[in-house]
Amino acid sequence: MLGRMMRPFRASLNPERDVELSQYLAGWRELVRFLIPLGSIFAFATSEASAKVTALEALVHGPEAAHYTSLATMVAWERPGIAPRLSAGCPGSMTMLLLHRALRWSQLCLHRVATGMLGGPDAGAQCSDAYGTALAPHHPWFVRQAAHLAFLAFPSRGRLLELACPGSKEAEARNALVRAAGTLEDVYNRTQGLLADGGLLELA
Ligand SMILES: *[C@@H]1O[C@H](CO)[C@@H](O)[C@H](O)[C@H]1NC(C)=O
């Protein structure tokens, strides 16, 4: 499960210090599949990530596909003033930004679940805290309230580790999850740098 998710994310990091969009989206497809069993919190925390993945895939395979092979080509193409014929503003960059923040939440949440100590905050509290850091500042009040409620039903650490690595020992599952969170952090960091260079972090 985690391997299927990490392979495309790792492959998205190309040697040109860029992010290949088709691989990034393939990674997201697997991440969504992984997060769905976490329940309703997933819908709030990621604000319908599937719909955003689908929207970006449409650009990657659309008539302007040549401009949507990587994050850098997309940012260059959509940069305000460069492509005035894009009446809808920066559709790809905007969608990417929302996925990017949701990826941050996933990464922080998985890392904390993997490294949490006995007697420390439970998995729900850790991921709720990650939500407060990565997503809440960008969500309207009613979404934050709904997310707060959804975190009350968050699965236990044991259940999460079992979902991540069915049938493994706890220590193995924790190690695998730490590695997965590290890959997500690599992807997050590179994406963050490219979005910042393009002046796109302030879009929404
Ligand atoms: C990501 O960036 C942060 C801040 O610049 C840094 O502290 C962290 O080590 C980086 N993570 C990875 C996996 O490179």
Side-chain angles (χ1 to χ4, degrees):
M1 188 87 212
L2 287 177
R4 268 218 311 276
M5 176 164 96
M6 290 313 127
R7 236 167 280 127
F9 273 128
R10 245 180 255 124
S12 76
L13 300 172
N14 74 15
E16 288 79 46
R17 312 281 316 150
D18 199 353
V19 178
E20 300 286 336
L21 286 180
S22 61
Q23 296 288 352
Y24 178 89
L25 294 170
W28 252 110
R29 283 265 172 238
E30 295 299 329
L31 181 57
V32 165
R33 205 167 288 157
F34 174 72
L35 293 173
I36 280 172
L38 306 193
S40 60
I41 183 52
F42 168 68
F44 296 111
T46 64
S47 301
E48 295 158 6
S50 301
K52 298 191 170 72
V53 171
T54 302
L56 265 183
E57 280 172 348
L59 292 171
V60 167
H61 300 293
E64 304 292 355
H67 300 290
Y68 290 95
T69 56
S70 76
L71 185 52
T73 61
M74 177 178 81
V75 166
W77 168 245
E78 292 192 349
R79 191 168 287 159
I82 300 280
R85 62 189 162 283
L86 291 175
S87 52
C90 326
S93 308
M94 186 75 168
T95 309
M96 185 72 190
L97 180 60
L98 301 175
L99 280 176
H100 174 61
R101 289 183 189 140
L103 189 85
R104 177 64 162 173
W105 173 74
S106 311
Q107 175 241 317
L108 290 173
C109 169
L110 296 183
H111 179 80
R112 288 173 191 182
V113 166
T115 56
M117 301 294 207
L118 203 65
D122 64 22
Q126 290 182 310
C127 290
S128 175
D129 194 54
Y131 174 81
T133 304
L135 290 167
H138 308 287
H139 283 174
W141 181 85
F142 68 94
V143 176
R144 294 200 305 269
Q145 294 309 302
H148 177 70
L149 290 179
F151 275 116
L152 300 177
F154 203 77
S156 68
R157 190 182 319 279
R159 171 91 184 105
L160 285 167
L161 292 171
E162 174 66 24
L163 279 173
C165 301
S168 304
K169 291 203 178 68
E170 180 181 334
E172 288 167 12
R174 281 182 183 252
N175 282 337
L177 213 49
V178 165
R179 282 197 303 276
T183 298
L184 293 182
E185 190 179 357
D186 286 336
V187 173
Y188 175 85
N189 277 7
R190 190 177 292 187
T191 307
Q192 174 79 2
L194 289 162
L195 290 173
D197 290 348
L200 294 165
L201 290 176
E202 312 304 328
L203 269 185

